[in-house]
Amino acid sequence: MMSAPERLKIRPKPATIATLLAVPAALAISRYEFPGRSTLTGFLLSPLMIPSVVLGIAFLRFFSLAQIGGSFWALSITHVIVVLPYALRLT
């Protein structure tokens, strides 16, 4: 179990990473026509279509099998994937 100060350290990093990934992706999707544009949009927005509980259990299972469950990196990757669609839609 993580303490509150540890959680506060983790939160800004995935949000920053998601924003750094989402802004160029959103600009490319909105400004340019390229093959696979709708596929890329669907892929980046797909975490919004999956219920949060299902997504959380899937990530827990995946990272536990990879033996990195509960680590800082697993939590950061999960947060980036969850936050990325929101950052993409806001840009």
Side-chain angles (χ1 to χ4, degrees):
M1 183 70 73
M2 293 182 146
S3 66
E6 288 175 340
R7 286 187 207 148
L8 291 174
K9 288 182 203 173
I10 290 175
R11 286 185 186 181
K13 293 173 186 172
T16 304
I17 293 168
T19 304
L20 291 174
L21 293 174
V23 169
L27 291 174
I29 289 169
S30 66
R31 291 185 182 177
Y32 304 109
E33 294 287 332
F34 55 90
R37 179 180 171 199
S38 60
T39 305
L40 179 64
T41 303
F43 176 74
L44 292 174
L45 296 177
S46 63
L48 293 177
M49 297 177 227
I50 303 169
S52 300
V53 173
V54 174
L55 197 60
I57 292 171
F59 279 127
L60 178 64
R61 178 83 172 133
F62 174 75
F63 289 129
S64 294
L65 288 174
Q67 297 182 353
I68 58 170
S71 70
F72 171 78
W73 294 109
L75 189 59
S76 294
I77 291 168
T78 303
H79 277 277
V80 167
I81 292 171
V82 169
V83 172
L84 184 68
Y86 295 104
L88 184 71
R89 296 301 291 171
L90 287 173
T91 305

